[in-house]
Amino acid sequence: MTTATPAWAEVMSTALVGTDRTGPPTWVPPTTADPASGLLEVAALLAVSRRAGSLPDRDVARPALAPDETRPTVGAAAGNRLTRLLGGNVFDADARSELTREWLSLAAGRGLVAPPQSLPALLEAGRASRELRSLVAVAGGNRARWLAEQRPSWGYLLEEADDPDEVDLTEEFDEPYDAATRPAVAAVAWDETRWQEGSVGTRAALLARARRGDPATARDHLVAAWSKEPAANRERFIATLGIGLGPGDEEFLEKALDDRGKAVRQQAVRLLARLPGSAYQERMAQRARAAVRLDDSGGLIIEPPAEVDPAMVRDGLSTDPGSGAGYGKRAWWLEAIVAATPLSTWLDYASDPAAFLLSRPDADGWAENLARGLARAAARERDVEWARQLLAAPSAKALLRPSYGIRPAEGLYELLPPAELSEHARNLLTDDNASQQVYQLLMMCPAPWPADLGTAVLDRAVALITRERQGYRADSLCQLATRKLSPSAADDVAARAAALRDDETQYTYERAIERLAEILYFRQKMIEELA
């Protein structure tokens, strides 16, 4: 019989699948009872064995000592604050997660590492949240990586880049394509040892840095290793082609459309859609022209494809978009085709194509998906003028509707200058019919919010609590403000909270303002301690 822990895992796995499908493990003794009953008897014995404990292993090799830390450790006050966050002793889980992220970002940005005693809890936090992992790898330092080597459940850390200069490179690989104006970047020496022996995160960061200086050479290294890499690595590595993307990448990306890994194919589709003049873009433009046509009088006829052929599937159009699309098949195909079509295609239709396409009456129900596709294309091409016209069009609210997690309006908001974005948000704050839109706008506004926007948000939150009795909306605004409002506003928020407490009327959601003040003071201290 196998040892207790692997045996328990095998029994649990069999129980989940069912003995009718897999049969009991081969080491389970034969029984006169049916296989399921026999499996339960073995599970009962193993449960008792697990509770009784086990003898310590003998002749186990002692691991090498943890390496020395090369960066300084944060001060005692900052370390204690991290311990409070990881121990669950402050605020709610969502607030703790955001504050932990901010703490790790500040520490990593200042070249500091977390104290040794906090590392086990920090590694557990990273295990529970993928979004924290790259920051844990940097702020945890050498000792965190050493601990990850000793415990399988922390092994995720070994796949992350641990150099502060590399982490930013692994976060976002897309950059605007403009070969004529792209600034020259000195090529970096290729580190073959790191490429062969580094973690996936380190290797991706190496590719990203090399792409900035010499895109072709970096791609050659990727091509040479491509066939030997598992799908998860291929997905991560191909994304680095978003840096320095150019015509020389097209052949490789076209081949990747036939990759075994679905996520790899999706990355290839995304990158080819961003590559001006690519054969992929021309194929999509031809499909768009077939679906959106001019009639004899200059009007617009929209007729999405009734089905997709194998060539369309290869280019990323699923035969069955599924319920997550939020639309029928033809509507989803129309949106996806238009989204991958260059905006310049529509100049054949009118001198001001945005005004022409967006003003068409929606007689057949396709205008909403046409607008969503155009919005995604405008976001991809980073076209600010298209973004402004789309956001001002009657179909703008449809751009907020999620479809497979995509809200096209978000990509458009990101194109607007911060001051313009803030002005949009301020103008919509008091519009009860635009609560979802204004929340999305506020999320897009970079932190910290400008002082006038912060004041407007606080005014609106208090009004919702005191005058309109819509405190639940104030609570949402205050939760967002904990991340976006400058900590320097803490005194103002605290004064508003005190005024609500002194009011004779008892407001259900006045606690939201108090909580906001507490978190801003907490962030204020945290920033001071990590300065």
Side-chain angles (χ1 to χ4, degrees):
M1 181 173 168
T2 58
T3 57
T5 300
W8 179 260
E10 191 172 359
V11 165
M12 292 299 101
S13 176
T14 303
L16 287 171
V17 175
T19 54
D20 290 342
R21 295 178 60 185
T22 64
T26 56
W27 48 264
V28 173
T31 176
T32 56
D34 65 274
S37 298
L39 187 72
L40 290 174
E41 290 178 6
V42 171
L45 290 172
L46 286 174
V48 173
S49 173
R50 283 161 55 87
R51 291 178 180 178
S54 61
L55 294 173
D57 293 332
R58 297 180 180 275
D59 302 322
V60 177
R62 179 178 297 177
L65 295 176
D68 292 334
E69 196 55 73
T70 56
R71 286 173 283 147
T73 303
V74 300
N80 290 337
R81 192 168 296 275
L82 176 63
T83 299
R84 291 173 62 194
L85 287 170
L86 297 173
N89 298 324
V90 291
F91 309 121
D92 57 84
D94 289 341
R96 288 196 302 273
S97 177
E98 288 295 332
L99 290 166
T100 300
R101 181 199 306 277
E102 185 173 7
W103 191 101
L104 294 172
S105 297
L106 289 168
R110 288 162 172 73
L112 303 172
V113 295
Q117 65 271 21
S118 69
L119 294 180
L122 188 58
L123 287 163
E124 280 297 305
R127 186 170 70 89
S129 172
R130 288 182 177 275
E131 296 177 351
L132 289 178
R133 291 181 180 180
S134 61
L135 291 171
V136 171
V138 177
N142 294 335
R143 292 189 179 96
R145 187 164 290 266
W146 180 86
L147 283 171
E149 293 171 348
Q150 317 307 318
R151 186 167 179 174
S153 63
W154 295 339
Y156 69 84
L157 198 75
L158 305 178
E159 301 301 314
E160 300 293 336
D162 58 349
D163 185 333
D165 294 330
E166 293 178 344
V167 170
D168 287 343
L169 291 174
T170 67
E171 293 298 326
E172 179 56 69
F173 291 125
D174 284 357
E175 62 182 21
Y177 175 83
D178 189 348
T181 61
R182 182 181 295 143
V185 177
V188 297
W190 181 259
D191 190 333
E192 186 64 20
T193 300
R194 290 177 76 79
W195 176 241
Q196 294 294 337
E197 301 177 4
S199 68
V200 175
T202 294
R203 297 174 71 203
L206 179 64
L207 276 173
R209 181 173 284 113
R211 287 283 297 182
R212 289 208 163 94
D214 187 350
T217 299
R219 184 186 63 248
D220 290 344
H221 283 291
L222 176 58
V223 171
W226 187 253
S227 62
K228 305 181 186 69
E229 299 291 342
N233 289 14
R234 296 200 305 274
E235 177 193 357
R236 195 155 181 182
F237 293 160
I238 195 174
T240 65
L241 298 189
I243 295 174
L245 181 67
D249 300 314
E250 183 175 5
E251 180 181 356
F252 174 72
L253 291 171
E254 278 286 341
K255 291 179 179 177
L257 290 176
D258 301 311
D259 195 273
R260 299 184 306 276
K262 179 180 179 180
V264 177
R265 298 194 301 271
Q266 290 173 336
Q267 287 281 12
V269 163
R270 184 180 64 82
L271 290 168
L272 285 168
R274 288 184 48 232
L275 185 57
S278 67
Y280 176 90
Q281 279 199 351
E282 179 53 34
R283 294 195 297 270
M284 284 304 203
Q286 290 176 3
R287 292 165 185 147
R289 293 187 193 103
V292 183
R293 309 187 304 275
L294 293 175
D295 61 22
D296 295 338
S297 63
L300 207 59
I301 300 173
I302 302 179
E303 189 175 357
E307 58 183 5
V308 292
D309 57 33
M312 297 168 75
V313 172
R314 180 177 183 268
D315 282 344
L317 296 173
S318 173
T319 55
D320 183 8
S323 59
Y327 296 95
K329 291 181 182 180
R330 299 183 70 197
W332 171 252
W333 292 332
L334 172 67
E335 178 179 331
I337 289 170
V338 173
T341 297
L343 293 173
S344 59
T345 303
W346 308 111
L347 288 170
D348 296 338
Y349 290 59
S351 58
D352 186 354
F356 174 70
L357 294 170
L358 296 172
S359 63
R360 176 188 180 275
D362 190 16
D364 44 23
W366 301 121
E368 182 174 308
N369 294 93
L370 174 64
R372 288 175 58 88
L374 292 169
R376 290 167 59 185
R380 185 189 69 249
E381 296 187 20
R382 293 172 163 82
D383 193 307
V384 178
E385 290 308 314
W386 268 89
R388 289 185 174 121
Q389 292 196 60
L390 282 157
L391 290 170
S395 55
K397 287 188 177 180
L399 306 182
L400 287 165
R401 182 179 301 170
S403 179
Y404 282 119
I406 298 172
R407 287 185 172 89
E410 293 182 6
L412 302 180
Y413 290 145
E414 290 176 350
L415 301 178
L416 300 180
E420 189 174 337
L421 197 59
S422 295
E423 183 179 358
H424 271 282
R426 285 199 309 274
N427 292 339
L428 287 173
L429 265 170
T430 55
D431 184 350
D432 288 334
N433 296 320
S435 58
Q436 183 184 15
Q437 187 175 358
V438 74
Y439 190 84
Q440 294 295 328
L441 270 169
L442 291 169
M443 286 184 66
M444 293 294 105
C445 291
W449 285 333
D452 55 350
L453 177 58
T455 299
V457 170
L458 292 174
D459 289 343
R460 179 59 172 166
V462 171
L464 288 168
I465 290 173
T466 60
R467 294 203 306 270
E468 301 173 32
R469 299 305 179 95
Q470 297 186 51
Y472 65 94
R473 288 169 56 192
D475 190 49
S476 296
L477 284 176
C478 288
Q479 287 189 39
L480 183 58
T482 62
R483 307 194 302 271
K484 296 286 192 175
L485 203 58
S486 170
S488 62
D491 289 342
D492 180 22
V493 178
R496 293 170 185 265
L500 286 172
R501 283 196 305 271
D502 293 341
D503 193 320
E504 294 181 358
T505 306
Q506 296 295 312
Y507 300 112
T508 305
Y509 285 92
E510 67 181 50
R511 173 62 186 148
I513 301 290
E514 294 176 351
R515 175 181 176 275
L516 173 57
E518 291 167 1
I519 291 178
L520 291 178
Y521 280 128
F522 189 96
R523 290 180 58 211
Q524 202 174 69
K525 288 290 185 182
M526 181 170 70
I527 293 169
E528 291 173 1
E529 293 161 358
L530 289 167

